[in-house]
Amino acid sequence: MARIVMKFGGTSVADTDRIRRVAGIVQRQQAAGHEVAVVVSAMAGETDRLVNFCREANPLYDPSEYDVVVSSGEQVTAGLLALTLHAMGCKARSWLGWQLPFRTDDAHSKARIDQIGTDAVLASMAAGEIAVIPGFQGISEENRVATLGRGGSDTSAVAVAAAVKADRCDIYTDVDGVYTTDPRIVSRARKLGRVTYEEMLELASVGSKVLQTRSVSLAMKEGVRVQVLSSFVDENSPSADDLPGTLIVSDAELGTGELQGSDMESQLITGIAADKNEAKITLTRLADKPGAVAAVFEPLAEANINVDMIIQNVAKDKGETDVTFTVPQSDLPRAIAMLEGKQEEIGFYRLISDDRVAKISVVGVGMRSHAGVAATMFSTLAERAINVLAISTSEIKVSVLINADETELAVRVLHTAYGLDGADQG
Ligand code: ADP
Ligand code: ASP
Ligand code: MG
Protein backbone atom coordinates (compact mmCIF):
# COMPACT_ATOMS: atom_id res chain seq x y z
CA MET A 1 0.00 0.00 0.00
CA ALA A 2 1.18 3.49 -0.78
CA ARG A 3 -0.08 6.97 -0.07
CA ILE A 4 -0.66 8.83 -3.32
CA VAL A 5 -1.61 12.43 -4.10
CA MET A 6 -3.24 12.72 -7.55
CA LYS A 7 -3.65 16.11 -9.23
CA PHE A 8 -5.95 16.75 -12.20
CA GLY A 9 -5.58 19.91 -14.32
CA GLY A 10 -8.27 21.99 -16.02
CA THR A 11 -8.71 19.96 -19.21
CA SER A 12 -8.93 16.76 -17.14
CA VAL A 13 -11.96 18.14 -15.26
CA ALA A 14 -13.40 20.26 -18.09
CA ASP A 15 -16.98 18.94 -17.73
CA THR A 16 -18.99 16.39 -15.77
CA ASP A 17 -18.17 13.66 -18.27
CA ARG A 18 -14.43 14.24 -17.83
CA ILE A 19 -14.88 14.40 -14.04
CA ARG A 20 -16.50 10.94 -14.26
CA ARG A 21 -13.41 9.64 -16.07
CA VAL A 22 -11.19 11.21 -13.41
CA ALA A 23 -13.30 9.55 -10.70
CA GLY A 24 -12.70 6.22 -12.46
CA ILE A 25 -8.92 6.76 -12.38
CA VAL A 26 -9.08 7.70 -8.69
CA GLN A 27 -11.25 4.70 -7.87
CA ARG A 28 -8.76 2.36 -9.57
CA GLN A 29 -5.87 3.75 -7.51
CA GLN A 30 -7.84 3.21 -4.32
CA ALA A 31 -8.87 -0.28 -5.44
CA ALA A 32 -5.15 -1.04 -5.91
CA GLY A 33 -4.91 -0.62 -2.13
CA HIS A 34 -3.61 2.93 -1.84
CA GLU A 35 -4.57 5.80 0.44
CA VAL A 36 -5.59 8.56 -1.93
CA ALA A 37 -5.88 12.35 -1.81
CA VAL A 38 -6.90 14.25 -4.94
CA VAL A 39 -6.12 17.87 -5.81
CA VAL A 40 -8.21 19.44 -8.57
CA SER A 41 -7.98 22.52 -10.78
CA ALA A 42 -10.94 24.56 -11.97
CA MET A 43 -12.63 23.46 -15.22
CA ALA A 44 -10.59 24.49 -18.29
CA GLY A 45 -11.14 28.19 -19.08
CA GLU A 46 -13.00 28.85 -15.82
CA THR A 47 -10.22 30.76 -14.05
CA ASP A 48 -9.76 33.02 -17.12
CA ARG A 49 -13.50 33.70 -17.08
CA LEU A 50 -13.41 34.59 -13.38
CA VAL A 51 -10.35 36.84 -13.84
CA ASN A 52 -12.23 38.71 -16.57
CA PHE A 53 -15.20 39.26 -14.26
CA CYS A 54 -12.85 40.89 -11.75
CA ARG A 55 -11.39 43.16 -14.43
CA GLU A 56 -14.86 44.14 -15.61
CA ALA A 57 -16.02 44.85 -12.08
CA ASN A 58 -13.02 46.98 -11.21
CA PRO A 59 -9.80 47.21 -13.27
CA LEU A 60 -7.95 48.26 -10.11
CA TYR A 61 -9.31 45.29 -8.18
CA ASP A 62 -8.34 44.52 -4.61
CA PRO A 63 -6.29 41.28 -4.75
CA SER A 64 -8.00 39.82 -1.69
CA GLU A 65 -11.44 40.13 -3.30
CA TYR A 66 -9.96 38.85 -6.60
CA ASP A 67 -8.92 35.75 -4.63
CA VAL A 68 -12.48 35.30 -3.34
CA VAL A 69 -13.69 35.22 -6.95
CA VAL A 70 -10.97 33.19 -8.71
CA SER A 71 -10.65 30.52 -5.99
CA SER A 72 -14.27 29.50 -6.58
CA GLY A 73 -13.54 27.47 -9.73
CA GLU A 74 -11.62 24.86 -7.76
CA GLN A 75 -14.34 24.68 -5.09
CA VAL A 76 -16.85 23.66 -7.77
CA THR A 77 -14.70 20.86 -9.21
CA ALA A 78 -13.78 19.55 -5.74
CA GLY A 79 -17.45 19.23 -4.81
CA LEU A 80 -18.38 17.71 -8.17
CA LEU A 81 -15.61 15.11 -7.96
CA ALA A 82 -16.68 14.12 -4.42
CA LEU A 83 -20.30 13.80 -5.63
CA THR A 84 -19.23 11.72 -8.64
CA LEU A 85 -17.16 9.41 -6.43
CA HIS A 86 -20.19 8.94 -4.15
CA ALA A 87 -22.27 8.02 -7.19
CA MET A 88 -19.70 5.30 -7.95
CA GLY A 89 -20.00 3.93 -4.43
CA CYS A 90 -16.75 5.42 -3.06
CA LYS A 91 -16.34 7.22 0.24
CA ALA A 92 -15.06 10.74 -0.44
CA ARG A 93 -15.21 14.26 0.97
CA SER A 94 -13.95 17.67 -0.03
CA TRP A 95 -11.53 19.70 2.10
CA LEU A 96 -11.49 23.38 1.22
CA GLY A 97 -8.39 25.49 1.88
CA TRP A 98 -9.77 26.90 5.14
CA GLN A 99 -10.88 23.47 6.34
CA LEU A 100 -7.52 21.69 6.07
CA PRO A 101 -6.23 24.41 6.77
CA PHE A 102 -3.91 25.23 3.88
CA ARG A 103 -2.08 28.21 5.44
CA THR A 104 -0.47 30.87 3.25
CA ASP A 105 1.00 34.34 3.68
CA ASP A 106 -0.97 37.51 2.89
CA ALA A 107 0.41 38.06 -0.65
CA HIS A 108 -3.00 37.79 -2.30
CA SER A 109 -3.08 36.47 -5.89
CA LYS A 110 0.45 35.06 -5.51
CA ALA A 111 0.42 33.72 -1.96
CA ARG A 112 3.19 31.48 -0.66
CA ILE A 113 2.46 28.39 1.40
CA ASP A 114 3.33 28.48 5.11
CA GLN A 115 1.97 25.22 6.46
CA ILE A 116 -0.71 22.60 5.82
CA GLY A 117 -2.77 20.99 8.57
CA THR A 118 -2.87 17.25 7.95
CA ASP A 119 -4.50 15.60 11.00
CA ALA A 120 -8.07 15.54 9.74
CA VAL A 121 -7.19 14.60 6.19
CA LEU A 122 -4.85 11.79 7.28
CA ALA A 123 -7.52 10.38 9.57
CA SER A 124 -10.06 10.50 6.79
CA MET A 125 -7.71 8.84 4.29
CA ALA A 126 -6.83 6.13 6.81
CA ALA A 127 -10.56 5.43 7.17
CA GLY A 128 -10.76 4.70 3.46
CA GLU A 129 -12.22 8.05 2.45
CA ILE A 130 -10.86 9.82 -0.65
CA ALA A 131 -9.82 13.36 0.31
CA VAL A 132 -10.67 15.83 -2.46
CA ILE A 133 -8.79 19.14 -2.16
CA PRO A 134 -9.30 22.20 -4.38
CA GLY A 135 -5.93 23.32 -5.70
CA PHE A 136 -4.80 26.94 -6.02
CA GLN A 137 -6.47 28.10 -2.77
CA GLY A 138 -5.44 28.54 0.83
CA ILE A 139 -6.21 30.72 3.81
CA SER A 140 -4.08 33.75 4.65
CA GLU A 141 -2.69 34.90 7.99
CA GLU A 142 -5.70 37.20 8.22
CA ASN A 143 -8.07 34.26 7.65
CA ARG A 144 -9.03 35.35 4.15
CA VAL A 145 -9.07 33.09 1.11
CA ALA A 146 -5.82 33.38 -0.88
CA THR A 147 -4.66 31.95 -4.22
CA LEU A 148 -1.20 30.77 -5.22
CA GLY A 149 -0.82 32.36 -8.69
CA ARG A 150 -1.83 30.97 -12.09
CA GLY A 151 -1.04 27.30 -12.56
CA GLY A 152 -0.83 27.01 -8.76
CA SER A 153 -2.70 23.72 -8.40
CA ASP A 154 0.51 21.88 -9.29
CA THR A 155 2.12 23.56 -6.29
CA SER A 156 -0.89 22.74 -4.08
CA ALA A 157 -0.55 19.07 -5.02
CA VAL A 158 3.18 18.90 -4.31
CA ALA A 159 2.68 20.75 -1.01
CA VAL A 160 -0.05 18.34 0.07
CA ALA A 161 2.15 15.38 -0.97
CA ALA A 162 5.02 16.75 1.13
CA ALA A 163 2.74 17.44 4.11
CA VAL A 164 1.12 13.97 4.16
CA LYS A 165 4.47 12.33 3.29
CA ALA A 166 3.02 10.76 0.17
CA ASP A 167 4.96 8.07 -1.66
CA ARG A 168 4.18 9.77 -4.97
CA CYS A 169 2.54 12.88 -6.41
CA ASP A 170 0.95 12.06 -9.77
CA ILE A 171 0.21 15.15 -11.90
CA TYR A 172 -2.43 14.15 -14.47
CA THR A 173 -2.72 16.43 -17.49
CA ASP A 174 -3.62 16.37 -21.20
CA VAL A 175 -0.25 15.02 -22.42
CA ASP A 176 1.27 11.72 -21.27
CA GLY A 177 4.48 13.17 -19.82
CA VAL A 178 7.19 15.77 -20.18
CA TYR A 179 8.48 15.96 -23.73
CA THR A 180 11.72 17.25 -25.24
CA THR A 181 9.64 20.28 -26.23
CA ASP A 182 5.94 21.18 -26.32
CA PRO A 183 4.43 18.30 -28.34
CA ARG A 184 1.74 20.68 -29.57
CA ILE A 185 4.44 22.70 -31.37
CA VAL A 186 6.81 19.97 -32.56
CA SER A 187 5.18 16.73 -33.66
CA ARG A 188 8.56 14.96 -33.46
CA ALA A 189 8.96 15.81 -29.75
CA ARG A 190 9.90 12.75 -27.69
CA LYS A 191 8.55 11.79 -24.30
CA LEU A 192 11.17 11.69 -21.56
CA GLY A 193 11.08 8.71 -19.21
CA ARG A 194 12.89 10.71 -16.57
CA VAL A 195 14.03 14.25 -16.06
CA THR A 196 15.98 15.71 -13.12
CA TYR A 197 14.44 18.26 -10.74
CA GLU A 198 17.06 20.78 -11.81
CA GLU A 199 16.32 20.41 -15.52
CA MET A 200 12.56 20.43 -14.94
CA LEU A 201 12.99 23.58 -12.87
CA GLU A 202 14.87 25.30 -15.69
CA LEU A 203 12.42 24.04 -18.33
CA ALA A 204 9.41 25.24 -16.32
CA SER A 205 10.97 28.61 -15.57
CA VAL A 206 11.77 29.26 -19.24
CA GLY A 207 8.30 28.45 -20.51
CA SER A 208 7.38 24.72 -20.36
CA LYS A 209 4.08 25.28 -18.63
CA VAL A 210 3.46 21.56 -18.10
CA LEU A 211 4.39 22.16 -14.42
CA GLN A 212 4.29 25.41 -12.46
CA THR A 213 7.90 26.39 -11.62
CA ARG A 214 7.14 26.69 -7.91
CA SER A 215 5.83 23.13 -7.80
CA VAL A 216 9.15 21.83 -9.11
CA SER A 217 11.28 23.79 -6.64
CA LEU A 218 9.05 22.63 -3.79
CA ALA A 219 9.27 19.00 -4.94
CA MET A 220 13.05 19.32 -5.16
CA LYS A 221 13.31 20.89 -1.70
CA GLU A 222 10.98 18.38 -0.06
CA GLY A 223 12.12 15.35 -2.06
CA VAL A 224 8.61 14.66 -3.40
CA ARG A 225 8.50 11.96 -6.08
CA VAL A 226 6.54 13.52 -8.95
CA GLN A 227 5.16 11.76 -12.02
CA VAL A 228 3.55 13.64 -14.94
CA LEU A 229 1.03 11.50 -16.83
CA SER A 230 -2.16 11.67 -18.87
CA SER A 231 -5.74 11.49 -17.64
CA PHE A 232 -6.83 10.89 -21.24
CA VAL A 233 -6.48 7.11 -20.99
CA ASP A 234 -8.81 4.16 -21.07
CA GLU A 235 -9.31 1.37 -18.57
CA ASN A 236 -6.85 -0.94 -20.33
CA SER A 237 -3.90 1.41 -20.12
CA PRO A 238 -1.06 0.73 -17.66
CA SER A 239 -1.62 1.63 -14.01
CA ALA A 240 0.02 4.80 -12.66
CA ASP A 241 1.99 2.46 -10.36
CA ASP A 242 3.87 1.16 -13.41
CA LEU A 243 5.16 4.72 -13.95
CA PRO A 244 3.93 5.18 -17.53
CA GLY A 245 4.51 8.96 -17.44
CA THR A 246 7.62 11.08 -16.82
CA LEU A 247 9.27 10.76 -13.44
CA ILE A 248 11.05 13.78 -11.98
CA VAL A 249 14.16 12.41 -10.24
CA SER A 250 17.26 13.58 -8.42
CA ASP A 251 20.67 13.59 -10.09
CA ALA A 252 21.63 10.69 -7.83
CA GLU A 253 18.60 8.64 -8.87
CA LEU A 254 19.31 9.29 -12.51
CA GLY A 255 22.71 7.71 -12.03
CA THR A 256 21.45 4.50 -10.40
CA GLY A 257 21.53 1.18 -12.20
CA GLU A 258 17.78 1.02 -12.58
CA LEU A 259 17.76 4.12 -14.68
CA GLN A 260 20.97 3.73 -16.60
CA GLY A 261 20.66 3.98 -20.31
CA SER A 262 17.56 6.13 -19.99
CA ASP A 263 17.05 8.65 -22.75
CA MET A 264 18.30 11.35 -20.38
CA GLU A 265 21.87 10.21 -20.02
CA SER A 266 22.90 9.90 -23.58
CA GLN A 267 21.42 13.28 -24.42
CA LEU A 268 23.36 16.50 -24.25
CA ILE A 269 20.20 18.60 -24.35
CA THR A 270 17.12 17.41 -22.48
CA GLY A 271 14.58 19.89 -23.66
CA ILE A 272 13.75 23.11 -25.47
CA ALA A 273 11.22 25.70 -24.31
CA ALA A 274 9.74 28.85 -25.78
CA ASP A 275 8.31 31.78 -23.88
CA LYS A 276 6.39 34.57 -25.58
CA ASN A 277 5.64 36.42 -22.38
CA GLU A 278 8.67 38.69 -22.29
CA ALA A 279 9.18 42.15 -23.75
CA LYS A 280 12.37 43.94 -24.74
CA ILE A 281 13.36 47.46 -23.74
CA THR A 282 16.35 49.35 -25.17
CA LEU A 283 17.62 52.58 -23.64
CA THR A 284 19.88 54.44 -26.05
CA ARG A 285 22.85 56.67 -25.34
CA LEU A 286 23.12 55.89 -21.66
CA ALA A 287 26.24 57.34 -20.01
CA ASP A 288 29.04 54.73 -19.97
CA LYS A 289 30.14 55.36 -16.39
CA PRO A 290 29.89 53.66 -12.99
CA GLY A 291 26.38 53.85 -11.55
CA ALA A 292 24.58 54.40 -14.86
CA VAL A 293 23.10 50.90 -15.13
CA ALA A 294 22.35 50.84 -11.40
CA ALA A 295 20.21 53.95 -11.97
CA VAL A 296 18.15 51.89 -14.47
CA PHE A 297 17.82 48.59 -12.62
CA GLU A 298 17.43 49.77 -9.01
CA PRO A 299 14.08 51.49 -9.60
CA LEU A 300 12.88 48.47 -11.61
CA ALA A 301 13.74 46.20 -8.67
CA GLU A 302 12.00 48.56 -6.27
CA ALA A 303 8.89 48.41 -8.46
CA ASN A 304 9.09 44.58 -8.21
CA ILE A 305 9.69 44.25 -11.97
CA ASN A 306 11.82 41.22 -12.78
CA VAL A 307 14.56 41.82 -15.32
CA ASP A 308 15.69 38.69 -17.14
CA MET A 309 18.15 39.10 -20.02
CA ILE A 310 20.51 42.09 -20.14
CA ILE A 311 22.99 43.24 -22.79
CA GLN A 312 25.08 46.36 -22.76
CA ASN A 313 26.63 47.38 -26.06
CA VAL A 314 30.23 48.43 -26.39
CA ALA A 315 30.57 52.13 -25.69
CA LYS A 316 30.42 54.34 -28.76
CA ASP A 317 31.98 57.76 -29.06
CA LYS A 318 31.33 60.33 -26.36
CA GLY A 319 31.27 57.66 -23.62
CA GLU A 320 27.70 56.59 -24.38
CA THR A 321 26.21 53.12 -24.70
CA ASP A 322 22.90 51.33 -25.39
CA VAL A 323 21.40 48.89 -22.85
CA THR A 324 18.84 46.25 -23.79
CA PHE A 325 16.95 44.08 -21.31
CA THR A 326 13.75 42.05 -20.99
CA VAL A 327 10.88 42.27 -18.51
CA PRO A 328 7.63 40.27 -18.25
CA GLN A 329 5.19 41.51 -20.89
CA SER A 330 2.58 42.16 -18.21
CA ASP A 331 4.98 44.61 -16.51
CA LEU A 332 5.96 46.45 -19.71
CA PRO A 333 3.55 49.41 -19.36
CA ARG A 334 4.64 49.94 -15.75
CA ALA A 335 8.33 49.65 -16.68
CA ILE A 336 7.99 52.18 -19.52
CA ALA A 337 6.08 54.66 -17.37
CA MET A 338 8.60 54.35 -14.58
CA LEU A 339 11.69 54.72 -16.81
CA GLU A 340 10.29 57.59 -18.85
CA GLY A 341 9.38 59.34 -15.61
CA LYS A 342 13.04 59.15 -14.61
CA GLN A 343 14.52 59.90 -18.06
CA GLU A 344 16.50 62.93 -16.93
CA GLU A 345 17.67 61.38 -13.70
CA ILE A 346 18.86 58.18 -15.45
CA GLY A 347 20.17 60.09 -18.46
CA PHE A 348 19.22 58.23 -21.65
CA TYR A 349 18.17 59.52 -25.07
CA ARG A 350 15.34 57.20 -26.21
CA LEU A 351 13.37 54.24 -24.89
CA ILE A 352 12.47 51.64 -27.54
CA SER A 353 10.21 48.74 -26.57
CA ASP A 354 9.14 45.58 -28.39
CA ASP A 355 6.73 42.95 -27.12
CA ARG A 356 6.83 40.80 -30.24
CA VAL A 357 9.79 38.78 -29.01
CA ALA A 358 10.22 35.21 -27.80
CA LYS A 359 12.80 33.59 -25.58
CA ILE A 360 13.99 30.20 -26.77
CA SER A 361 15.93 28.11 -24.26
CA VAL A 362 17.83 24.84 -24.48
CA VAL A 363 18.29 22.98 -21.20
CA GLY A 364 20.39 19.97 -20.22
CA VAL A 365 22.71 18.83 -17.43
CA GLY A 366 24.98 17.47 -20.16
CA MET A 367 26.07 21.08 -20.79
CA ARG A 368 28.18 21.00 -17.65
CA SER A 369 30.62 18.58 -19.22
CA HIS A 370 30.31 19.42 -22.91
CA ALA A 371 31.37 22.54 -24.79
CA GLY A 372 29.74 23.85 -27.92
CA VAL A 373 26.05 23.87 -26.97
CA ALA A 374 25.74 27.63 -27.46
CA ALA A 375 27.76 27.52 -30.69
CA THR A 376 25.38 24.90 -32.14
CA MET A 377 22.44 27.06 -31.13
CA PHE A 378 23.78 30.23 -32.77
CA SER A 379 24.89 28.52 -36.01
CA THR A 380 21.58 26.61 -36.35
CA LEU A 381 19.61 29.84 -35.97
CA ALA A 382 21.97 31.69 -38.32
CA GLU A 383 21.45 29.05 -41.04
CA ARG A 384 17.74 29.95 -40.95
CA ALA A 385 18.54 33.69 -40.86
CA ILE A 386 17.01 33.98 -37.40
CA ASN A 387 18.46 37.03 -35.69
CA VAL A 388 19.52 36.77 -32.03
CA LEU A 389 18.53 39.90 -30.07
CA ALA A 390 19.86 38.95 -26.63
CA ILE A 391 21.50 36.00 -24.91
CA SER A 392 21.62 34.67 -21.36
CA THR A 393 23.06 31.50 -19.88
CA SER A 394 23.14 29.45 -16.71
CA GLU A 395 25.11 26.32 -15.89
CA ILE A 396 22.58 24.07 -17.63
CA LYS A 397 20.73 26.49 -19.96
CA VAL A 398 21.28 28.81 -22.91
CA SER A 399 18.52 31.27 -23.83
CA VAL A 400 18.23 33.57 -26.82
CA LEU A 401 15.72 36.28 -27.61
CA ILE A 402 14.34 36.30 -31.16
CA ASN A 403 11.39 37.77 -33.07
CA ALA A 404 8.16 36.10 -31.93
CA ASP A 405 7.17 35.23 -35.53
CA GLU A 406 10.14 32.86 -35.73
CA THR A 407 9.35 30.91 -32.53
CA GLU A 408 8.00 27.69 -34.04
CA LEU A 409 10.70 27.55 -36.71
CA ALA A 410 13.47 28.12 -34.15
CA VAL A 411 12.19 25.42 -31.79
CA ARG A 412 11.82 22.95 -34.66
CA VAL A 413 15.30 23.46 -36.16
CA LEU A 414 16.99 23.38 -32.75
CA HIS A 415 15.11 20.21 -31.85
CA THR A 416 16.56 18.58 -34.95
CA ALA A 417 20.05 20.08 -34.48
CA TYR A 418 20.42 18.63 -30.97
CA GLY A 419 19.30 15.19 -32.17
CA LEU A 420 16.06 15.23 -30.18
CA ASP A 421 13.65 14.29 -32.99
CA GLY A 422 11.65 11.12 -32.50
CA ALA A 423 8.98 9.57 -34.68
CA ASP A 424 6.46 12.05 -36.09
CA GLN A 425 3.29 11.98 -33.91
CA GLY A 426 1.51 14.61 -35.97
P1 ADP B 1 -3.15 21.38 -16.83
O1 ADP B 1 -4.41 22.07 -17.19
O2 ADP B 1 -3.32 19.90 -16.71
O3 ADP B 1 -2.44 21.99 -15.66
P2 ADP B 1 -1.33 22.74 -18.66
O4 ADP B 1 -2.01 23.27 -19.86
O5 ADP B 1 -0.97 23.67 -17.56
O6 ADP B 1 -2.20 21.53 -18.10
O7 ADP B 1 0.02 21.97 -19.10
C1 ADP B 1 -0.02 20.96 -20.09
C2 ADP B 1 0.44 21.54 -21.42
O8 ADP B 1 1.81 21.91 -21.33
C3 ADP B 1 0.41 20.58 -22.58
O9 ADP B 1 -0.85 20.55 -23.19
C4 ADP B 1 1.50 21.11 -23.51
O10 ADP B 1 0.97 21.85 -24.60
C5 ADP B 1 2.30 22.07 -22.64
N1 ADP B 1 3.76 21.83 -22.67
C6 ADP B 1 4.71 22.81 -22.83
N2 ADP B 1 5.92 22.28 -22.84
C7 ADP B 1 5.79 20.94 -22.65
C8 ADP B 1 6.70 19.85 -22.57
N3 ADP B 1 8.04 20.03 -22.67
N4 ADP B 1 6.21 18.60 -22.40
C9 ADP B 1 4.88 18.41 -22.29
N5 ADP B 1 3.95 19.40 -22.36
C10 ADP B 1 4.39 20.66 -22.55
N1 ASP C 1 -7.18 27.23 -11.99
C1 ASP C 1 -5.92 27.94 -11.75
C2 ASP C 1 -5.38 28.49 -13.07
O1 ASP C 1 -6.00 28.30 -14.12
C3 ASP C 1 -4.90 27.08 -11.09
C4 ASP C 1 -4.49 25.84 -11.86
O2 ASP C 1 -5.27 25.34 -12.67
O3 ASP C 1 -3.40 25.33 -11.62
O4 ASP C 1 -4.38 29.15 -13.07
MG1 MG D 1 -1.08 23.63 -15.45
Side-chain angles (χ1 to χ4, degrees), residues 7 10 41-42 47 74 136 149-154:
K7 180 260 174 179
S41 284
T47 309
E74 271 72 8
F136 190 46
R150 297 306 304 270
S153 294
D154 294 332

Side-chain angles (χ1 to χ4, degrees), residues 13 74 126 160 183 193 238 244 254 279 304 309 312 326 328 331 352 380:
V13 292
E74 271 72 8
V160 169
L254 191 69
N304 217 352
M309 308 170 105
Q312 180 171 358
T326 61
D331 287 332
I352 304 161
T380 306

Side-chain angles (χ1 to χ4, degrees), residues 47-358:
T47 309
D48 287 342
R49 197 174 75 99
L50 296 169
V51 169
N52 278 333
F53 285 151
C54 294
R55 290 192 180 131
E56 280 167 26
N58 182 348
L60 299 174
Y61 53 73
D62 168 2
S64 49
E65 297 301 347
Y66 161 97
D67 279 350
V68 173
V69 177
V70 300
S71 61
S72 65
E74 271 72 8
Q75 174 161 338
V76 171
T77 44
L80 288 175
L81 179 58
L83 288 171
T84 312
L85 286 163
H86 295 164
M88 294 167 77
C90 299
K91 287 202 285 176
R93 78 151 276 187
S94 62
W95 294 91
L96 303 185
W98 63 271
Q99 291 169 324
L100 277 174
F102 193 108
R103 291 260 165 225
T104 73
D105 64 12
D106 287 329
H108 284 282
S109 82
K110 48 178 182 302
R112 300 196 70 84
I113 304 163
D114 285 337
Q115 206 198 354
I116 301 176
T118 54
D119 293 351
V121 84
L122 282 173
S124 128
M125 283 163 77
E129 202 169 58
I130 296 165
V132 185
I133 300 167
F136 190 46
Q137 61 168 255
I139 176 156
S140 75
E141 285 155 16
E142 291 176 348
N143 282 337
R144 302 205 59 182
V145 66
T147 65
L148 306 182
R150 297 306 304 270
S153 294
D154 294 332
T155 304
S156 305
V158 170
V160 169
V164 303
K165 301 194 170 42
D167 296 280
R168 215 172 62 227
C169 180
D170 284 341
I171 308 272
Y172 287 83
T173 182
D174 54 6
V175 286
D176 60 355
V178 178
Y179 278 68
T180 47
T181 193
D182 189 339
R184 297 188 196 284
I185 298 183
V186 177
S187 57
R188 286 185 177 278
R190 263 189 310 118
K191 192 176 110 187
L192 297 162
R194 284 150 180 100
V195 61
T196 65
Y197 288 114
E198 245 184 313
E199 287 171 310
M200 195 60 237
L201 193 56
E202 287 276 17
L203 280 170
S205 71
V206 294
S208 291
K209 69 158 189 165
V210 61
L211 287 177
Q212 197 200 33
T213 310
R214 278 170 62 188
S215 71
V216 187
S217 48
L218 189 62
M220 184 161 145
K221 178 166 155 271
E222 300 287 336
V224 176
R225 198 170 170 77
V226 175
Q227 176 178 207
V228 176
L229 71 173
S230 176
S231 72
F232 288 68
V233 289
D234 60 39
E235 284 169 26
N236 305 320
S237 46
S239 149
D241 299 335
D242 298 336
L243 308 179
T246 299
L247 208 58
I248 322 289
V249 297
S250 64
D251 264 348
E253 195 176 350
L254 191 69
T256 63
E258 185 206 340
L259 302 179
Q260 247 158 33
S262 73
D263 39 10
M264 286 282 315
E265 282 193 315
S266 51
Q267 216 71 58
L268 180 56
I269 293 300
T270 303
I272 302 179
D275 183 359
K276 291 184 179 172
N277 294 316
E278 292 203 20
K280 178 173 75 106
I281 294 179
T282 299
L283 300 179
T284 67
R285 297 178 53 190
L286 196 70
D288 188 27
K289 62 169 196 220
V293 279
V296 176
F297 295 115
E298 269 170 11
L300 286 168
E302 274 161 28
N304 217 352
I305 296 174
N306 254 339
V307 174
D308 181 17
M309 308 170 105
I310 303 175
I311 47 172
Q312 180 171 358
N313 294 345
V314 178
K316 296 179 217 151
D317 310 332
K318 300 187 230 151
E320 288 175 338
T321 180
D322 294 348
V323 172
T324 297
F325 54 91
T326 61
V327 296
Q329 232 170 62
S330 52
D331 287 332
L332 182 64
R334 243 168 16 105
I336 294 175
M338 205 271 300
L339 291 166
E340 286 184 340
K342 288 180 182 287
Q343 182 163 9
E344 249 174 58
E345 209 178 305
I346 298 171
F348 61 90
Y349 176 63
R350 273 184 69 200
L351 182 155
I352 304 161
S353 68
D354 183 1
D355 62 2
R356 297 214 29 80
V357 291

Side-chain angles (χ1 to χ4, degrees), residues 379-398:
S379 59
T380 306
L381 296 174
E383 275 163 27
R384 296 297 180 124
I386 297 172
N387 197 20
V388 173
L389 309 171
I391 301 164
S392 72
T393 63
S394 80
E395 202 190 3
I396 63 165
K397 176 198 80 186
V398 184

Side-chain angles (χ1 to χ4, degrees), residues 363-419:
V363 173
V365 282
M367 253 182 240
R368 287 200 186 113
S369 47
H370 289 80
V373 169
T376 303
M377 187 171 197
F378 304 146
S379 59
T380 306
L381 296 174
E383 275 163 27
R384 296 297 180 124
I386 297 172
N387 197 20
V388 173
L389 309 171
I391 301 164
S392 72
T393 63
S394 80
E395 202 190 3
I396 63 165
K397 176 198 80 186
V398 184
S399 302
V400 295
L401 197 70
I402 63 170
N403 286 324
D405 295 344
E406 295 168 327
T407 308
E408 278 75 18
L409 175 64
V411 172
R412 218 171 302 118
V413 294
L414 290 170
H415 199 264
T416 306
Y418 289 110

